[in-house]
Amino acid sequence: MADSDGRQVVSINHSTEEDVKLQEVVQAKCEGKELTKEEKQRLRKEKKQHKKNKKDDRGPPEKEKEKEKASVLAPSKPATQSPAHKAAPVPVNASASESPVAAEKPAKSKAEQRAERRARQDTERASKQGKKEGGQQSASSKPKATPNELQPVKRLPEHIQVDDPAALKKLAKKLERQQVPLRSDYGYKVSLFSHLHQYSRKNPPTQQISIPATVIHPSIVRLGLQYSQGIIAGSNARSVALLHAFKQVIQDYSTPPNEELSRDLVNKLSPYISFLSQCRPLSASMGNAIKYIKKEISNIPSQCKEEEAKRRLQECIDSYINEKIILASEAISKYAIEKISDGDVILVYGCSSLVNHILCEAFEKQRKFRVIVVDSRPRLEGREALRRLVKKGIRCTYVLISALSYILPEVSKVFLGAHALLANGYVMSRVGTSQIALVAKAYNVPVLVCCETYKFCERVQTDSFESNELDDPDDLIVTRNGKTHLENWQTVKSLGLLNLVYDVTPPDFVDLVITDLGMIPCTSVPVVLRVKNVDQ
Amino acid sequence: MELQAVLMAAGGGSRMMDLTYNTPKPLLPVGNRPLIWYPLNLLERVGFEGKHSVISENKPSKVSLKVKMISTTDILVVSCDLITDVALHEVVDLFRAHNATLSMLMSKVHEFTETVPGQKGKKKAGEQRDFVGVDVTGKRLLFMANEADLEEGLVLRKSIMRKHPRMLIKTGLLDAHLYCLKRSVVDFLVHNKSVTSIRGELVPYLVRKQFSKSLNSKNATEDTEKNQKQQDAHHNLELLSTSKEEALLQLARERSCWNDHRGDMSEAYHGGKLRCYVHIMEEGMCYRVNTLAAYIEANRVVPKLFEDPPIHPTAVVSERSLVGSDSIIGPICQISEKTSIKRSNVGTSSTIKEKVKITNSIIMNGVTIEEGCNIQGSVICNNAVIGRGADMKYCLVGSGQRIEPEAERTNEVIVGSDQLMEI
């Protein structure tokens, strides 16, 4: 095991190791600020390995232990770095004992005690294990150490760490600090998705909020309720409603004395955002809108008067909505209408506000086409899409997703909406979309995804498990003829109800993405993101 | 501020004049606390900090608000005689989530089982019923009328049926007189002084108004019997509510894929701006103490709720008396020996002398009961004096009355100066 070998090295070749460590410490001092973070990481890694060593009494083969370590470390770091880190812990661990000593005097005694304890343990282990392999490992790992030490540790967002009690505790503490009530999970969760929250509509998030709402602005409470009850659903609607609520918050905001608006307002918004994410996990579009608002607020110059600043912020919000949502949908419909020819049979899934808008515009521009609306349980959003299209006068057919393969031979194009477009080109959309894309590919029907650029996000996801949303499982319960078979589903131990909301579609199944910047292939999403970042 | 609370402490308790001719209704003791304590406690528990209470002249039913003060936020109107343990957020959530104009609370009516003093024969339970029509979800209020207002039968407008083909009409619901009203309604009340009663006039008006055709400012075609002033007020209400719906909210709703009903071609809420919602309590306690029977029932049930000790620490109870576990004794009482008190409430500073037997009764404050009395199923009001050896069964003794010694009364209401007898 590399770890024990590193320590064996400590015990056996103590003097040479120390020289190396001192050099590294000097290096550490020279590099200044960045390294304190690195030192903290080293401390953390060292602690982890320390705990791990306590558990491993006997010595299984080294490779296995390395793999274990890599897998232990992998959940907390992205997969790309795990091979590098296999070797990194060794010298990191060794130098970690010295660098805190050099940099932070209060930790000195602890680190020294730890070093002594480790030395003692290593001598014990040395009597059990062979020493040959240790020497080889440490020699090869040292040169790899330095470049890998500077990789930052990526943190997982809280909402996909529900099965980790430490993360839950952190969340609870944070919410308590912000005076936001914690919403408890409901019902049995299917084990594959136990890392996600699952809330019930019967426990509204407002149970513990005082009436009248004082800690959280009333319009935010209203918004949260509307999210959790599904009254405002759909990526665009949620973002618009969020920005509207923020406008009201800004309207009612008054800077406390000795505070600056640019800093205080952002702090005011944090508990509201926590509350909203307790009501329903934030969507990618909402996240981008929040980022934009926060940036705008922090960019308010300090000499700006409060009224002026508020007015400016309101204008920013209005212009954001106008540009990114309203005008973007106009631009997208313009591009999309070029793709709709007379005699087309267009398949749409669920209720996407953008796709509905495109079809209505195309109909107004006298294109001759008919629409097939595909719907799925439990949300049955397709009915709403059907109503809007039929009201406009478009000829529609309505099927459930189980009839998809029967209906696809008739279809000439598939138009899909998106909740978000991920940085690796995957499309995150309502659950069932990937199925449609898959079957359409099998039938060689072109699939066009319509998505505004403000929904592009920098996350990377290749499966629908890692990050998703679990809706209320009781939505799956149906009462027919007075009988509700799933009424007591909680009492059946082997039964779990799963109500997924999103899924991801790989870029191979998507032929074209229509955005307000034009028609791009799915794989160009990172380019757009890069361009956007440069602009901002 | 999101909501302001208004406690309606007016209303003279017209249906229980025997109790209230001397004491204002809000101060009637229930479970040894004034009646007004209960709604105040409810509001405080939920988080209200500053309250407004309106005490107005005696009027038979709910009084309109003299609203010079409250026009800046939405209001929550509570009646002073409401005792309930409802989770208030249920009512307010309907108000918030749907941006409703009115949100109210109703509960299933409880049958009163205790014998009411002074009641001659059984009272008909079905008088003055309320007919409440809700939609399939049970939340949206479609129709509300009192039996008294209906001449021959229940008339339902076709426009309601077209929009909500399935309606559930419920009787047997008790209106808790707890309303969340939008600010525009308050302004409407200010402009329109002819609406005097919230429950009697305003609420049915709002419920009806949900389905009226949207008005052009000149052609008011429906409700022809209403006078011109009220028609202007109609527009007032419409205008006030529409100006609030901002363009962004409209956009959000358009983009949202939610609808509150299905089966027809209209958008959510049928495009109506005015919406009324009701939360119907299935379980839990909800009493309106506006009749004698309700008062007695409330006194029975309420002490069990709160964790106060049944016998107040300052009461002097002698060891040889028997106080049952479901009785409560108020502060500074004096219970003498060989007294037995079962299932009763004894109020503040009452004096009970020896060998008195009290069962199923309510003794208010400052009452003196001389020795040897036997009191069963009765209500003895403030400062009454019951003479020695009196035997009262199912009686109501009014405030300040004196009952002569050795009196035997059954099922009587004793109030007023003609009943007074000097000892």
Side-chain angles (χ1 to χ4, degrees), chain A residues 206 210-211 213 222 225-226 230-231 233 383-384 387-388 391, chain B residues 2 46 48 89 93 96-97 252 254 256-259 262 265-266:
Chain A
T206 50
S210 67
I211 306 166
R222 165 174 303 162
L225 263 178
Q226 288 176 329
I231 295 174
R383 297 186 296 193
E384 184 59 24
R387 179 188 74 79
R388 290 177 199 200
K391 194 167 183 189
Chain B
E2 191 186 2
V46 158
F48 277 97
H89 72 86
D93 279 351
R96 287 165 174 157
E254 272 169 38
S256 172
C257 52
W258 178 84
N259 206 324
R262 61 182 186 93
M265 293 296 277
S266 22

PDB file of all heavy atoms in Angstrom, chain A residues 206 210-211 213 222 225-226 230-231 233 383-384 387-388 391, chain B residues 2 46 48 89 93 96-97 252 254 256-259 262 265-266:
ATOM      1  N   THR A 206     -44.581  26.102   3.352  1.00  0.00           N
ATOM      2  CA  THR A 206     -44.978  27.248   4.164  1.00  0.00           C
ATOM      3  C   THR A 206     -45.472  26.848   5.539  1.00  0.00           C
ATOM      4  O   THR A 206     -45.977  27.679   6.280  1.00  0.00           O
ATOM      5  CB  THR A 206     -46.122  27.997   3.463  1.00  0.00           C
ATOM      6  OG1 THR A 206     -47.114  27.044   3.097  1.00  0.00           O
ATOM      7  CG2 THR A 206     -45.621  28.719   2.247  1.00  0.00           C
ATOM      8  N   SER A 210     -44.038  32.060   9.117  1.00  0.00           N
ATOM      9  CA  SER A 210     -45.054  32.819   9.838  1.00  0.00           C
ATOM     10  C   SER A 210     -45.981  33.498   8.836  1.00  0.00           C
ATOM     11  O   SER A 210     -45.611  33.790   7.717  1.00  0.00           O
ATOM     12  CB  SER A 210     -44.381  33.877  10.703  1.00  0.00           C
ATOM     13  OG  SER A 210     -43.774  34.841   9.879  1.00  0.00           O
ATOM     14  N   ILE A 211     -47.199  33.685   9.285  1.00  0.00           N
ATOM     15  CA  ILE A 211     -48.149  34.459   8.493  1.00  0.00           C
ATOM     16  C   ILE A 211     -48.346  35.747   9.239  1.00  0.00           C
ATOM     17  O   ILE A 211     -48.811  35.681  10.376  1.00  0.00           O
ATOM     18  CB  ILE A 211     -49.499  33.739   8.397  1.00  0.00           C
ATOM     19  CG1 ILE A 211     -49.286  32.322   7.869  1.00  0.00           C
ATOM     20  CG2 ILE A 211     -50.465  34.493   7.540  1.00  0.00           C
ATOM     21  CD1 ILE A 211     -50.478  31.455   8.048  1.00  0.00           C
ATOM     22  N   ALA A 213     -45.601  36.650   6.188  1.00  0.00           N
ATOM     23  CA  ALA A 213     -44.197  36.288   6.008  1.00  0.00           C
ATOM     24  C   ALA A 213     -43.327  37.515   6.192  1.00  0.00           C
ATOM     25  O   ALA A 213     -43.489  38.509   5.495  1.00  0.00           O
ATOM     26  CB  ALA A 213     -43.994  35.708   4.615  1.00  0.00           C
ATOM     27  N   ARG A 222     -44.951  33.482  -2.132  1.00  0.00           N
ATOM     28  CA  ARG A 222     -45.981  33.157  -3.131  1.00  0.00           C
ATOM     29  C   ARG A 222     -45.365  32.368  -4.273  1.00  0.00           C
ATOM     30  O   ARG A 222     -45.930  31.375  -4.736  1.00  0.00           O
ATOM     31  CB  ARG A 222     -46.597  34.445  -3.641  1.00  0.00           C
ATOM     32  CG  ARG A 222     -47.407  34.279  -4.904  1.00  0.00           C
ATOM     33  CD  ARG A 222     -48.110  35.537  -5.268  1.00  0.00           C
ATOM     34  NE  ARG A 222     -48.954  35.964  -4.167  1.00  0.00           N
ATOM     35  CZ  ARG A 222     -49.440  37.179  -4.025  1.00  0.00           C
ATOM     36  NH1 ARG A 222     -49.164  38.088  -4.920  1.00  0.00           N
ATOM     37  NH2 ARG A 222     -50.188  37.501  -3.004  1.00  0.00           N
ATOM     38  N   LEU A 225     -44.614  28.806  -3.313  1.00  0.00           N
ATOM     39  CA  LEU A 225     -45.839  28.001  -3.284  1.00  0.00           C
ATOM     40  C   LEU A 225     -46.272  27.627  -4.683  1.00  0.00           C
ATOM     41  O   LEU A 225     -46.695  26.502  -4.948  1.00  0.00           O
ATOM     42  CB  LEU A 225     -46.962  28.803  -2.635  1.00  0.00           C
ATOM     43  CG  LEU A 225     -47.208  28.547  -1.178  1.00  0.00           C
ATOM     44  CD1 LEU A 225     -48.298  29.445  -0.697  1.00  0.00           C
ATOM     45  CD2 LEU A 225     -47.628  27.110  -0.962  1.00  0.00           C
ATOM     46  N   GLN A 226     -46.173  28.595  -5.587  1.00  0.00           N
ATOM     47  CA  GLN A 226     -46.601  28.312  -6.955  1.00  0.00           C
ATOM     48  C   GLN A 226     -45.693  27.288  -7.608  1.00  0.00           C
ATOM     49  O   GLN A 226     -46.144  26.454  -8.384  1.00  0.00           O
ATOM     50  CB  GLN A 226     -46.640  29.602  -7.769  1.00  0.00           C
ATOM     51  CG  GLN A 226     -47.794  30.487  -7.352  1.00  0.00           C
ATOM     52  CD  GLN A 226     -47.807  31.817  -8.061  1.00  0.00           C
ATOM     53  OE1 GLN A 226     -46.765  32.352  -8.410  1.00  0.00           O
ATOM     54  NE2 GLN A 226     -48.985  32.346  -8.282  1.00  0.00           N
ATOM     55  N   GLY A 230     -46.909  23.484  -8.651  1.00  0.00           N
ATOM     56  CA  GLY A 230     -46.921  23.278 -10.093  1.00  0.00           C
ATOM     57  C   GLY A 230     -47.733  24.293 -10.850  1.00  0.00           C
ATOM     58  O   GLY A 230     -48.007  24.097 -12.040  1.00  0.00           O
ATOM     59  N   ILE A 231     -48.119  25.379 -10.197  1.00  0.00           N
ATOM     60  CA  ILE A 231     -48.911  26.383 -10.896  1.00  0.00           C
ATOM     61  C   ILE A 231     -48.050  27.109 -11.913  1.00  0.00           C
ATOM     62  O   ILE A 231     -48.504  27.504 -12.987  1.00  0.00           O
ATOM     63  CB  ILE A 231     -49.506  27.374  -9.880  1.00  0.00           C
ATOM     64  CG1 ILE A 231     -50.487  26.629  -8.988  1.00  0.00           C
ATOM     65  CG2 ILE A 231     -50.201  28.528 -10.570  1.00  0.00           C
ATOM     66  CD1 ILE A 231     -51.026  27.464  -7.875  1.00  0.00           C
ATOM     67  N   ALA A 233     -44.994  26.213 -14.049  1.00  0.00           N
ATOM     68  CA  ALA A 233     -44.129  25.102 -14.428  1.00  0.00           C
ATOM     69  C   ALA A 233     -43.630  25.361 -15.831  1.00  0.00           C
ATOM     70  O   ALA A 233     -44.322  25.977 -16.636  1.00  0.00           O
ATOM     71  CB  ALA A 233     -44.897  23.793 -14.375  1.00  0.00           C
ATOM     72  N   ARG A 383     -51.837  17.688 -22.762  1.00  0.00           N
ATOM     73  CA  ARG A 383     -53.209  18.169 -22.922  1.00  0.00           C
ATOM     74  C   ARG A 383     -53.235  19.677 -23.023  1.00  0.00           C
ATOM     75  O   ARG A 383     -54.025  20.249 -23.795  1.00  0.00           O
ATOM     76  CB  ARG A 383     -54.061  17.711 -21.740  1.00  0.00           C
ATOM     77  CG  ARG A 383     -54.183  16.216 -21.660  1.00  0.00           C
ATOM     78  CD  ARG A 383     -55.130  15.792 -20.609  1.00  0.00           C
ATOM     79  NE  ARG A 383     -54.682  16.179 -19.279  1.00  0.00           N
ATOM     80  CZ  ARG A 383     -55.206  15.721 -18.164  1.00  0.00           C
ATOM     81  NH1 ARG A 383     -56.183  14.846 -18.214  1.00  0.00           N
ATOM     82  NH2 ARG A 383     -54.766  16.130 -17.001  1.00  0.00           N
ATOM     83  N   GLU A 384     -52.398  20.321 -22.262  1.00  0.00           N
ATOM     84  CA  GLU A 384     -52.353  21.778 -22.309  1.00  0.00           C
ATOM     85  C   GLU A 384     -51.816  22.249 -23.655  1.00  0.00           C
ATOM     86  O   GLU A 384     -52.334  23.197 -24.251  1.00  0.00           O
ATOM     87  CB  GLU A 384     -51.484  22.276 -21.149  1.00  0.00           C
ATOM     88  CG  GLU A 384     -51.418  23.761 -20.993  1.00  0.00           C
ATOM     89  CD  GLU A 384     -52.754  24.405 -20.784  1.00  0.00           C
ATOM     90  OE1 GLU A 384     -53.699  23.736 -20.317  1.00  0.00           O
ATOM     91  OE2 GLU A 384     -52.873  25.591 -21.108  1.00  0.00           O
ATOM     92  N   ARG A 387     -54.510  21.839 -26.167  1.00  0.00           N
ATOM     93  CA  ARG A 387     -55.539  22.882 -26.081  1.00  0.00           C
ATOM     94  C   ARG A 387     -55.082  24.144 -26.781  1.00  0.00           C
ATOM     95  O   ARG A 387     -55.829  24.754 -27.553  1.00  0.00           O
ATOM     96  CB  ARG A 387     -55.830  23.159 -24.603  1.00  0.00           C
ATOM     97  CG  ARG A 387     -56.847  24.227 -24.380  1.00  0.00           C
ATOM     98  CD  ARG A 387     -56.938  24.586 -22.907  1.00  0.00           C
ATOM     99  NE  ARG A 387     -55.812  25.359 -22.435  1.00  0.00           N
ATOM    100  CZ  ARG A 387     -55.656  26.663 -22.624  1.00  0.00           C
ATOM    101  NH1 ARG A 387     -56.547  27.335 -23.297  1.00  0.00           N
ATOM    102  NH2 ARG A 387     -54.600  27.279 -22.149  1.00  0.00           N
ATOM    103  N   ARG A 388     -53.826  24.526 -26.541  1.00  0.00           N
ATOM    104  CA  ARG A 388     -53.363  25.778 -27.140  1.00  0.00           C
ATOM    105  C   ARG A 388     -53.284  25.690 -28.651  1.00  0.00           C
ATOM    106  O   ARG A 388     -53.632  26.635 -29.361  1.00  0.00           O
ATOM    107  CB  ARG A 388     -51.994  26.142 -26.582  1.00  0.00           C
ATOM    108  CG  ARG A 388     -52.111  26.556 -25.153  1.00  0.00           C
ATOM    109  CD  ARG A 388     -50.796  26.868 -24.509  1.00  0.00           C
ATOM    110  NE  ARG A 388     -50.977  26.813 -23.074  1.00  0.00           N
ATOM    111  CZ  ARG A 388     -50.173  27.381 -22.209  1.00  0.00           C
ATOM    112  NH1 ARG A 388     -49.122  28.042 -22.622  1.00  0.00           N
ATOM    113  NH2 ARG A 388     -50.409  27.286 -20.917  1.00  0.00           N
ATOM    114  N   LYS A 391     -56.801  25.528 -30.134  1.00  0.00           N
ATOM    115  CA  LYS A 391     -57.455  26.840 -30.041  1.00  0.00           C
ATOM    116  C   LYS A 391     -57.009  27.733 -31.185  1.00  0.00           C
ATOM    117  O   LYS A 391     -57.783  28.559 -31.680  1.00  0.00           O
ATOM    118  CB  LYS A 391     -57.087  27.476 -28.712  1.00  0.00           C
ATOM    119  CG  LYS A 391     -57.949  28.639 -28.366  1.00  0.00           C
ATOM    120  CD  LYS A 391     -57.744  29.008 -26.910  1.00  0.00           C
ATOM    121  CE  LYS A 391     -58.681  30.136 -26.554  1.00  0.00           C
ATOM    122  NZ  LYS A 391     -58.403  30.695 -25.250  1.00  0.00           N
TER     123      LYS A 391
ATOM    124  N   GLU B   2     -47.338  41.571   4.426  1.00  0.00           N
ATOM    125  CA  GLU B   2     -48.172  40.721   3.580  1.00  0.00           C
ATOM    126  C   GLU B   2     -49.639  40.800   3.969  1.00  0.00           C
ATOM    127  O   GLU B   2     -50.508  41.010   3.148  1.00  0.00           O
ATOM    128  CB  GLU B   2     -47.685  39.289   3.703  1.00  0.00           C
ATOM    129  CG  GLU B   2     -48.315  38.387   2.678  1.00  0.00           C
ATOM    130  CD  GLU B   2     -47.935  36.953   2.905  1.00  0.00           C
ATOM    131  OE1 GLU B   2     -47.228  36.666   3.865  1.00  0.00           O
ATOM    132  OE2 GLU B   2     -48.362  36.113   2.111  1.00  0.00           O
ATOM    133  N   VAL B  46     -49.446  31.882  14.941  1.00  0.00           N
ATOM    134  CA  VAL B  46     -49.088  31.773  13.535  1.00  0.00           C
ATOM    135  C   VAL B  46     -48.042  32.813  13.143  1.00  0.00           C
ATOM    136  O   VAL B  46     -47.297  32.619  12.179  1.00  0.00           O
ATOM    137  CB  VAL B  46     -50.385  31.918  12.716  1.00  0.00           C
ATOM    138  CG1 VAL B  46     -50.112  32.338  11.337  1.00  0.00           C
ATOM    139  CG2 VAL B  46     -51.134  30.634  12.734  1.00  0.00           C
ATOM    140  N   PHE B  48     -48.575  36.578  13.644  1.00  0.00           N
ATOM    141  CA  PHE B  48     -48.965  37.977  13.570  1.00  0.00           C
ATOM    142  C   PHE B  48     -48.428  38.719  14.762  1.00  0.00           C
ATOM    143  O   PHE B  48     -48.468  38.226  15.875  1.00  0.00           O
ATOM    144  CB  PHE B  48     -50.492  38.091  13.594  1.00  0.00           C
ATOM    145  CG  PHE B  48     -51.097  37.883  12.251  1.00  0.00           C
ATOM    146  CD1 PHE B  48     -51.590  36.655  11.903  1.00  0.00           C
ATOM    147  CD2 PHE B  48     -51.168  38.920  11.352  1.00  0.00           C
ATOM    148  CE1 PHE B  48     -52.152  36.453  10.665  1.00  0.00           C
ATOM    149  CE2 PHE B  48     -51.728  38.740  10.117  1.00  0.00           C
ATOM    150  CZ  PHE B  48     -52.224  37.506   9.770  1.00  0.00           C
ATOM    151  N   HIS B  89     -52.048  28.193   7.725  1.00  0.00           N
ATOM    152  CA  HIS B  89     -51.355  28.333   6.440  1.00  0.00           C
ATOM    153  C   HIS B  89     -52.139  27.688   5.311  1.00  0.00           C
ATOM    154  O   HIS B  89     -51.958  28.051   4.147  1.00  0.00           O
ATOM    155  CB  HIS B  89     -49.941  27.759   6.516  1.00  0.00           C
ATOM    156  CG  HIS B  89     -49.880  26.267   6.589  1.00  0.00           C
ATOM    157  ND1 HIS B  89     -49.891  25.465   5.476  1.00  0.00           N
ATOM    158  CD2 HIS B  89     -49.811  25.426   7.636  1.00  0.00           C
ATOM    159  CE1 HIS B  89     -49.819  24.209   5.840  1.00  0.00           C
ATOM    160  NE2 HIS B  89     -49.774  24.150   7.146  1.00  0.00           N
ATOM    161  N   ASP B  93     -52.354  29.848   2.186  1.00  0.00           N
ATOM    162  CA  ASP B  93     -51.670  29.340   0.994  1.00  0.00           C
ATOM    163  C   ASP B  93     -52.553  29.423  -0.232  1.00  0.00           C
ATOM    164  O   ASP B  93     -52.075  29.724  -1.326  1.00  0.00           O
ATOM    165  CB  ASP B  93     -51.245  27.881   1.214  1.00  0.00           C
ATOM    166  CG  ASP B  93     -49.972  27.779   2.006  1.00  0.00           C
ATOM    167  OD1 ASP B  93     -49.349  28.830   2.230  1.00  0.00           O
ATOM    168  OD2 ASP B  93     -49.605  26.671   2.406  1.00  0.00           O
ATOM    169  N   ARG B  96     -52.399  32.897  -1.310  1.00  0.00           N
ATOM    170  CA  ARG B  96     -51.140  33.305  -1.934  1.00  0.00           C
ATOM    171  C   ARG B  96     -50.967  32.666  -3.304  1.00  0.00           C
ATOM    172  O   ARG B  96     -50.665  33.330  -4.281  1.00  0.00           O
ATOM    173  CB  ARG B  96     -49.967  32.851  -1.073  1.00  0.00           C
ATOM    174  CG  ARG B  96     -49.745  33.594   0.192  1.00  0.00           C
ATOM    175  CD  ARG B  96     -48.801  32.769   1.044  1.00  0.00           C
ATOM    176  NE  ARG B  96     -48.381  33.440   2.251  1.00  0.00           N
ATOM    177  CZ  ARG B  96     -47.937  32.814   3.321  1.00  0.00           C
ATOM    178  NH1 ARG B  96     -47.877  31.513   3.344  1.00  0.00           N
ATOM    179  NH2 ARG B  96     -47.565  33.496   4.379  1.00  0.00           N
ATOM    180  N   ALA B  97     -51.137  31.344  -3.326  1.00  0.00           N
ATOM    181  CA  ALA B  97     -50.726  30.619  -4.533  1.00  0.00           C
ATOM    182  C   ALA B  97     -51.576  31.012  -5.743  1.00  0.00           C
ATOM    183  O   ALA B  97     -51.060  31.168  -6.842  1.00  0.00           O
ATOM    184  CB  ALA B  97     -50.830  29.120  -4.295  1.00  0.00           C
ATOM    185  N   ALA B 252     -45.682  35.071 -17.488  1.00  0.00           N
ATOM    186  CA  ALA B 252     -45.329  33.821 -16.793  1.00  0.00           C
ATOM    187  C   ALA B 252     -46.473  32.831 -16.887  1.00  0.00           C
ATOM    188  O   ALA B 252     -46.257  31.636 -17.106  1.00  0.00           O
ATOM    189  CB  ALA B 252     -44.990  34.110 -15.335  1.00  0.00           C
ATOM    190  N   GLU B 254     -48.764  32.671 -19.153  1.00  0.00           N
ATOM    191  CA  GLU B 254     -48.901  32.166 -20.524  1.00  0.00           C
ATOM    192  C   GLU B 254     -47.918  31.060 -20.799  1.00  0.00           C
ATOM    193  O   GLU B 254     -48.216  30.092 -21.472  1.00  0.00           O
ATOM    194  CB  GLU B 254     -48.604  33.283 -21.521  1.00  0.00           C
ATOM    195  CG  GLU B 254     -49.772  34.143 -21.908  1.00  0.00           C
ATOM    196  CD  GLU B 254     -49.278  35.357 -22.669  1.00  0.00           C
ATOM    197  OE1 GLU B 254     -48.325  35.198 -23.455  1.00  0.00           O
ATOM    198  OE2 GLU B 254     -49.816  36.434 -22.434  1.00  0.00           O
ATOM    199  N   SER B 256     -46.533  29.131 -18.683  1.00  0.00           N
ATOM    200  CA  SER B 256     -46.616  27.989 -17.787  1.00  0.00           C
ATOM    201  C   SER B 256     -47.560  26.953 -18.358  1.00  0.00           C
ATOM    202  O   SER B 256     -48.567  27.286 -18.967  1.00  0.00           O
ATOM    203  CB  SER B 256     -47.111  28.470 -16.425  1.00  0.00           C
ATOM    204  OG  SER B 256     -47.373  27.372 -15.606  1.00  0.00           O
ATOM    205  N   CYS B 257     -47.246  25.674 -18.150  1.00  0.00           N
ATOM    206  CA  CYS B 257     -48.094  24.651 -18.740  1.00  0.00           C
ATOM    207  C   CYS B 257     -49.065  24.110 -17.717  1.00  0.00           C
ATOM    208  O   CYS B 257     -49.229  22.906 -17.576  1.00  0.00           O
ATOM    209  CB  CYS B 257     -47.231  23.529 -19.298  1.00  0.00           C
ATOM    210  SG  CYS B 257     -46.067  22.914 -18.113  1.00  0.00           S
ATOM    211  N   TRP B 258     -49.678  24.983 -16.979  1.00  0.00           N
ATOM    212  CA  TRP B 258     -50.585  24.538 -15.934  1.00  0.00           C
ATOM    213  C   TRP B 258     -51.968  25.068 -16.214  1.00  0.00           C
ATOM    214  O   TRP B 258     -52.139  26.181 -16.700  1.00  0.00           O
ATOM    215  CB  TRP B 258     -50.087  25.071 -14.587  1.00  0.00           C
ATOM    216  CG  TRP B 258     -50.967  24.729 -13.443  1.00  0.00           C
ATOM    217  CD1 TRP B 258     -50.979  23.580 -12.718  1.00  0.00           C
ATOM    218  CD2 TRP B 258     -51.974  25.554 -12.853  1.00  0.00           C
ATOM    219  NE1 TRP B 258     -51.911  23.629 -11.734  1.00  0.00           N
ATOM    220  CE2 TRP B 258     -52.541  24.830 -11.790  1.00  0.00           C
ATOM    221  CE3 TRP B 258     -52.455  26.831 -13.136  1.00  0.00           C
ATOM    222  CZ2 TRP B 258     -53.553  25.342 -11.002  1.00  0.00           C
ATOM    223  CZ3 TRP B 258     -53.470  27.344 -12.345  1.00  0.00           C
ATOM    224  CH2 TRP B 258     -54.010  26.599 -11.292  1.00  0.00           C
ATOM    225  N   ASN B 259     -52.951  24.264 -15.866  1.00  0.00           N
ATOM    226  CA  ASN B 259     -54.328  24.729 -15.997  1.00  0.00           C
ATOM    227  C   ASN B 259     -55.092  24.182 -14.806  1.00  0.00           C
ATOM    228  O   ASN B 259     -54.817  23.072 -14.349  1.00  0.00           O
ATOM    229  CB  ASN B 259     -54.927  24.214 -17.303  1.00  0.00           C
ATOM    230  CG  ASN B 259     -56.032  25.122 -17.799  1.00  0.00           C
ATOM    231  OD1 ASN B 259     -56.777  25.674 -17.008  1.00  0.00           O
ATOM    232  ND2 ASN B 259     -56.114  25.276 -19.098  1.00  0.00           N
ATOM    233  N   ARG B 262     -59.736  21.064 -16.851  1.00  0.00           N
ATOM    234  CA  ARG B 262     -59.488  20.583 -18.212  1.00  0.00           C
ATOM    235  C   ARG B 262     -60.809  20.223 -18.846  1.00  0.00           C
ATOM    236  O   ARG B 262     -61.805  20.035 -18.181  1.00  0.00           O
ATOM    237  CB  ARG B 262     -58.549  19.387 -18.172  1.00  0.00           C
ATOM    238  CG  ARG B 262     -59.089  18.222 -17.400  1.00  0.00           C
ATOM    239  CD  ARG B 262     -58.068  17.115 -17.377  1.00  0.00           C
ATOM    240  NE  ARG B 262     -58.630  15.949 -16.768  1.00  0.00           N
ATOM    241  CZ  ARG B 262     -59.223  14.977 -17.447  1.00  0.00           C
ATOM    242  NH1 ARG B 262     -59.319  15.046 -18.752  1.00  0.00           N
ATOM    243  NH2 ARG B 262     -59.713  13.935 -16.819  1.00  0.00           N
ATOM    244  N   MET B 265     -61.749  24.846 -23.691  1.00  0.00           N
ATOM    245  CA  MET B 265     -60.664  25.494 -24.414  1.00  0.00           C
ATOM    246  C   MET B 265     -60.150  26.738 -23.717  1.00  0.00           C
ATOM    247  O   MET B 265     -59.431  27.513 -24.315  1.00  0.00           O
ATOM    248  CB  MET B 265     -61.178  25.894 -25.810  1.00  0.00           C
ATOM    249  CG  MET B 265     -61.478  24.719 -26.674  1.00  0.00           C
ATOM    250  SD  MET B 265     -60.000  23.790 -27.027  1.00  0.00           S
ATOM    251  CE  MET B 265     -59.375  24.745 -28.358  1.00  0.00           C
ATOM    252  N   SER B 266     -60.560  26.967 -22.483  1.00  0.00           N
ATOM    253  CA  SER B 266     -60.096  28.221 -21.889  1.00  0.00           C
ATOM    254  C   SER B 266     -58.836  28.007 -21.068  1.00  0.00           C
ATOM    255  O   SER B 266     -58.533  26.905 -20.630  1.00  0.00           O
ATOM    256  CB  SER B 266     -61.178  28.864 -21.029  1.00  0.00           C
ATOM    257  OG  SER B 266     -62.104  27.937 -20.631  1.00  0.00           O
TER     258      SER B 266
END
